Amino acid sequence: MALYSEKVMDHFRNPRNVGVIEDADGVGEVGNAKCGDIMKIYLKIRDGIVEDVKFETFGCGSAIASSSMATEMIKGRPLAEALRLSNRAVVEALDGLPAHKLHCSVLAEEAIKAAVRDYYEKNGIAYDPAEFSAGDCPSCCG
């Protein structure tokens, strides 16, 4: 069995939504000091919908694939759905990640939450801080 699924390899080799949105409505940046991965997510919101999303990721192939898949999963969706995106959903959409790479999917979830929180704060939108709590972070995150 291969270490990485075909979907992981496809999103690593051909990442979707790479780049910067200069006038982004929300920006979230997160990192993992243990592995050195850094993800930055940019959101363009119109009428409560994620109209556009871009990412910049400094990290391994799993981090890039997780960022790419996560952006695909929230593009065109309501903000509430984007906020509910879990790292497990990203892993499932990628047809799995090795256990020692699960933290990459956690970073994708956290970066999206950080970007949505930034959007809410910039626009004075009240929110429940519990919605932004850490996801199902595996023990590898340290």
Side-chain angles (χ1 to χ4, degrees):
M1 182 177 139
L3 183 60
Y4 295 105
S5 72
E6 286 182 30
K7 282 187 183 177
V8 170
M9 294 306 296
D10 180 43
H11 278 268
F12 166 62
R13 290 182 179 134
N14 307 293
R16 284 70 151 175
N17 307 307
V18 175
V20 175
I21 299 175
E22 292 297 337
D23 59 344
D25 296 312
V27 179
E29 184 172 357
V30 297
N32 182 317
K34 187 173 182 179
C35 67
D37 292 339
I38 299 169
M39 289 184 189
K40 194 168 189 176
I41 300 280
Y42 302 85
L43 299 176
K44 192 69 176 164
I45 309 300
R46 177 170 289 174
D47 299 325
I49 305 292
V50 178
E51 182 178 72
D52 197 10
V53 56
K54 301 280 186 212
F55 78 91
E56 295 179 300
T57 294
F58 178 82
C60 66
S62 294
I64 293 166
S66 293
S67 300
S68 175
M69 180 58 81
T71 60
E72 285 288 282
M73 294 174 77
I74 68 167
K75 193 171 190 175
R77 304 279 186 209
L79 269 179
E81 279 186 40
L83 198 51
R84 287 192 303 267
L85 180 69
S86 70
N87 70 299
R88 287 180 188 215
V90 173
V91 171
E92 288 172 12
L94 288 170
D95 292 337
L97 284 173
H100 67 282
K101 292 295 185 179
L102 291 175
H103 65 276
C104 297
S105 64
V106 173
L107 283 177
E109 174 187 340
E110 290 175 348
I112 289 168
K113 286 181 177 182
V116 172
R117 181 176 39 227
D118 181 54
Y119 169 73
Y120 285 168
E121 289 173 354
K122 284 179 179 174
N123 291 281
I125 299 170
Y127 62 88
D128 179 0
E131 289 183 298
F132 298 92
S133 62
D136 303 321
C137 190
S139 60
C140 64
C141 292

